[in-house]
Amino acid sequence: MEQQPQPYVTPQPVQPMQPAPQATEAPAPAEAAPKPVRIAAVGDIHVRETDKGKWVDFFKVVSEQADVLLLCGDLTDHGYAKEAEVLAEEMRACTIPVVCVLGNHDHDKHEHEKIRDCLLRDNVHFLDGEAVVIKNVGFAGVKGFGGGFDKYMLSMFGEASNKAFVQEAVDEALKLEAGLARLDTEHPGIKKIAVLHYAPIKATVEGEPEAIHPFLGCSRLAEPLDRQNVLACFHGHAHVGTLEGETHNGVKVFNVAKPILQKAGFALPFFLFDV
């Protein structure tokens, strides 16, 4: 192949008495923005003993699309450890870290400790006032409890049984606060995510009969979210509630109960959120 002639460039004369140019460092390349951590969340999967093989594809797909999976309570349908054994087998298909809280169904047969023990393994973390850091994101969680919302929140008054009901919500809120505060102490400035089963705000239970709102969550659970500057909170429990709301201070709250996500048209029932 004949070589193409190169264009001729007239040499430039060297200018006398000019100081030699000072070497300058090349500007450092701009650092690429860190990749966000993608969180998948779902609650109320209600696994039964007859569900063998039903959840494998779900866990495979969620592992491909997210970095962390949140399971927001009611992992089992009737609270039996045998149901958790089925779920544990299905979760072998999950290759990403999982953060869980238990729900009211998981406590129904007093086998919640067995359910927890059955599902625990290296990449599965159960939270009940504890906190865990995964991929530089902090997660704190509790089951939560009922008690009502805002000015209709049940007060510590009357019979001992009524006070015990209120105290349960107070205790759950205190555990959540402790977990979130621990994240701040041990990892200052970390982005924080709260994981619950019961709702912390009224907005995400709207759609449920108003008469049962006090049994779906409690505003006491929202107080730690606002005080601790939580980025977002995920819960379940209210199957015909509303997908999204926020606390008085603007913390995003998502009701990711499986029926809510199915009604919203999600092909597979998990909600994705980038941190």
Side-chain angles (χ1 to χ4, degrees):
M1 179 181 294
E2 182 179 354
Q3 184 175 357
Q4 296 297 319
Q6 297 299 313
Y8 179 77
V9 179
T10 304
Q12 298 298 312
V14 176
Q15 300 294 326
M17 306 300 293
Q18 295 291 325
Q22 298 295 316
T24 57
E25 293 185 3
E31 291 186 7
K35 182 182 177 183
V37 176
R38 177 154 289 182
I39 295 170
V42 62
D44 304 85
I45 59 176
H46 292 277
V47 171
R48 300 179 177 182
E49 290 182 61
T50 56
D51 281 354
K52 294 179 181 179
K54 177 179 176 180
W55 289 93
V56 171
D57 288 343
F58 170 88
F59 287 116
K60 286 181 179 178
V61 173
V62 80
S63 297
E64 293 169 356
Q65 296 191 18
D67 301 303
V68 182
L69 172 62
L70 310 182
L71 294 179
C72 301
D74 282 2
L75 312 181
T76 61
D77 196 36
H78 296 99
Y80 288 117
K82 289 183 178 180
E83 295 171 324
E85 290 172 5
V86 173
L87 177 56
E89 189 62 31
E90 302 292 288
M91 285 176 66
R92 292 184 185 277
C94 188
T95 58
I96 58 175
V98 183
V99 178
C100 309
V101 296
L102 294 176
N104 57 308
H105 277 241
D106 304 314
H107 282 76
D108 188 52
K109 299 298 186 296
H110 306 288
E111 296 187 10
H112 50 280
E113 290 294 341
K114 293 180 180 179
I115 290 171
R116 178 183 178 276
D117 293 343
C118 183
L119 295 172
L120 268 179
R121 60 177 191 266
D122 287 346
N123 71 328
V124 179
H125 309 270
F126 271 89
L127 302 181
D128 185 22
E130 300 86 4
V132 62
V133 176
I134 302 172
K135 296 184 181 293
N136 294 318
V137 177
F139 299 89
V142 294
K143 173 178 61 67
F145 200 61
F149 302 99
D150 304 322
K151 64 182 180 179
Y152 298 110
M153 188 166 56
L154 195 62
S155 62
M156 190 78 73
F157 179 80
E159 299 91 335
S161 55
N162 187 74
K163 291 177 181 177
F165 187 91
V166 175
Q167 188 63 52
E168 183 72 14
V170 171
D171 291 343
E172 290 292 292
L174 289 173
K175 286 194 295 185
L176 178 60
E177 180 106 45
L180 292 169
R182 189 176 304 117
L183 285 172
D184 269 341
T185 300
E186 298 176 1
H187 307 273
I190 197 169
K191 293 178 179 178
K192 299 185 290 291
I193 299 293
V195 188
L196 307 173
H197 180 60
Y198 285 79
I201 61 172
K202 182 180 178 181
T204 51
V205 305
E206 293 285 1
E208 296 276 4
E210 191 169 355
I212 67 170
H213 283 189
F215 305 101
L216 299 177
C218 184
S219 292
R220 298 183 195 279
L221 297 167
E223 296 167 7
L225 306 181
D226 284 335
R227 281 195 294 266
Q228 299 293 333
N229 298 315
V230 170
L231 180 63
C233 172
F234 298 87
H235 74 88
H237 193 42
H239 290 198
V240 291
T242 301
L243 176 60
E244 183 175 351
E246 60 181 41
T247 67
H248 294 305
N249 285 7
V251 176
K252 291 289 186 183
V253 178
F254 299 95
N255 178 354
V256 293
K258 177 173 169 264
I260 297 286
L261 300 180
Q262 290 175 321
K263 183 179 177 182
F266 286 73
L268 282 175
F270 58 86
F271 182 84
L272 292 174
F273 182 82
D274 286 345
V275 177

